[in-house]
Amino acid sequence: MKKLLRILGLIVLIPVGLLFLLIVVMSIISPPRGGKKTAAALQVPYPAVVAHRGLSGLAPEATLPAYLLARECGADYLEADLQRTADGVIIVFHDDTPARTTNAARVFPGRENDPIGSFTYAELTELDAGSWFNEAFPELARAAYAGLKILTLDELIDIAEGGNNNPGLYLETKAPSSYPGIEAQIVEILRARGWIGGPAPKPAPPDPSLNAAVGAPSVNVAATPARVIFQSFDPASVARLKELAPDAPRVLLVSQEIAAEKGWAALVEQAAATAQGIGPVGYLGWPWNIGPAHRAGLVVHVYTINESWQFKLLSRFGSDGFFTDRSDRAVELLGRGGPLDVGAVFRRIGY
Ligand code: G3P
Ligand code: CA
């Protein structure tokens, strides 16, 4: 009987011991909160909650309600992919073509798989960028999503500036080689709107009682030097942004394919030369990747993290921020504000 108990004890103790050892080793490779000082020096919120295409887990990506929800739920940053129309308007749009997230197949039959940049702005205003969401996610559908428009960068800035909370902007140059000069154009718009250059703007600080009414934290990132963060998968675009707006932090994005091609060590070196951060896909957010990035003086913001267990695991591995479709979930998990009354937020924004 004693022997049996000893064997059972070993069966339990060995895995527990190994798990403990693993946690210790991981903590040495990537110490907890290893990027906190770097983030503080940049005045980037820690951990940063980046609303990926707005609160796109509950509303059509990159549309007015998605960004209003993110702002009102207390995201630190509104994330946006920037491209350019055929007549030169900077728009917020992720895909290469309008096929997936608009009704272009009906409005412009045969052109739905054409590059988004081949459409004029006037043409894009004819598109419905919301109804696809109602069809794809009937359980989240809302009548008011039908007919939503593709946003311009100026309209995104209006949203960031238009509420009680003052989130920052986390802007990606998407496929920048297709849009020569887009970096300068983006910087010019941001400069004209007071988001780049000159003294930090002083938006009216959030009224905490308005946020408390829905359980949201107060956010005033727009009043800090890190109010705009640029991001791109294209190192040349990051380098151009460094030249054009040296004071705005930059993040080099890394997909699994790019990491496989170039290797993590080379990417960390490349990021450290032109940026303040590296933005890997979540699958690359291991301690043995995050640790070296921290030691190179970079913050690490991983994408796209939506599930509770992913936030917890990647926090343990040392991630300094999250691109997320569920910024509501992130602010709650991080203990900011909460419990969030998302239904009340929907009513507040009129959807
Ligand atoms: O910008 C971070 C993340 O958004 C990169 O991937 O394809 O969603 O723009 P994607
Ligand atoms: Ca993006």
Side-chain angles (χ1 to χ4, degrees):
M1 185 64 179
K2 267 188 181 174
K3 199 175 172 187
L4 183 67
L5 282 174
R6 208 175 297 135
I7 291 169
L8 282 174
L10 282 175
I11 288 173
V12 173
L13 279 177
I14 287 172
V16 170
L18 283 174
L19 187 64
F20 180 72
L21 189 66
L22 187 68
I23 290 171
V24 170
V25 170
M26 283 189 331
S27 300
I28 293 168
I29 295 172
S30 178
R33 294 174 291 283
K36 192 172 181 183
K37 275 191 184 162
T38 309
L42 293 167
Q43 298 190 50
V44 171
Y46 182 92
V49 175
V50 184
H52 183 247
R53 311 180 203 170
L55 211 164
S56 55
L58 297 179
E61 64 185 61
T63 62
L64 178 64
Y67 286 117
L68 291 176
L69 281 174
R71 185 190 73 194
E72 297 300 310
C73 285
D76 294 313
Y77 288 96
L78 308 183
E79 193 267 352
D81 305 292
L82 301 180
Q83 303 198 59
R84 189 169 64 201
T85 64
D87 52 343
V89 179
I90 302 295
I91 53 163
V92 178
F93 201 81
H94 174 269
D95 289 8
D96 296 341
T97 79
R100 180 179 65 91
T101 60
T102 76
N103 60 344
R106 194 175 61 71
V107 181
F108 301 111
R111 290 181 65 198
E112 67 271 21
N113 290 310
D114 287 357
I116 191 75
S118 67
F119 291 80
T120 64
Y121 179 64
E123 286 174 330
L124 294 184
T125 60
E126 293 181 46
L127 297 179
D128 171 350
S131 291
W132 72 273
F133 184 91
N134 287 348
E135 286 155 26
F137 307 105
E139 70 285 7
L140 299 172
R142 287 172 188 261
Y145 288 164
L148 290 171
K149 298 296 171 205
I150 293 171
L151 297 171
T152 64
L153 173 56
D154 265 310
E155 288 168 337
L156 179 71
I157 295 171
D158 291 341
I159 296 167
E161 292 178 346
N164 183 40
N165 276 334
N166 301 311
L169 297 170
Y170 208 125
L171 303 175
E172 179 179 351
T173 48
K174 186 60 92 186
S177 56
S178 305
Y179 305 109
I182 191 169
E183 294 87 0
Q185 204 177 341
I186 292 167
V187 168
E188 193 183 313
I189 291 169
L190 292 166
R191 211 180 282 284
R193 299 286 302 258
W195 280 72
I196 275 188
K202 291 192 172 52
D207 175 348
S209 66
L210 277 179
N211 285 323
V214 294
S218 288
V219 173
N220 209 15
V221 175
T224 74
R227 56 193 175 273
V228 174
I229 299 181
F230 289 117
Q231 43 157 345
S232 187
F233 287 101
D234 183 339
S237 185
V238 174
R240 284 193 287 276
L241 288 161
K242 181 183 179 188
E243 290 293 315
L244 291 160
D247 294 339
R250 296 162 300 281
V251 166
L252 179 67
L253 298 172
V254 178
S255 64
Q256 276 184 297
E257 295 74 25
I258 293 172
E261 184 195 331
K262 296 188 175 173
W264 184 256
L267 287 161
V268 166
E269 203 177 310
Q270 191 167 42
T274 49
Q276 289 71 29
I278 192 160
V281 65
Y283 300 109
L284 295 170
W286 296 104
W288 47 88
N289 284 340
I290 293 181
H294 283 160
R295 287 189 279 283
L298 297 166
V299 292
V300 181
H301 291 165
V302 288
Y303 73 91
T304 302
I305 306 306
N306 296 331
E307 303 302 328
S308 302
W309 66 268
Q310 297 172 322
F311 287 110
K312 288 177 188 158
L313 191 69
L314 285 154
S315 294
R316 179 162 283 282
F317 289 171
S319 180
D320 309 311
F322 309 96
F323 295 87
T324 176
D325 301 335
R326 292 300 305 265
S327 40
D328 56 326
R329 200 173 270 165
V331 299
E332 281 202 325
L333 280 169
L334 293 170
R336 301 180 185 171
L340 261 174
D341 185 346
V342 179
V345 176
F346 267 107
R347 287 191 291 280
R348 179 177 281 181
I349 67 167
Y351 281 84

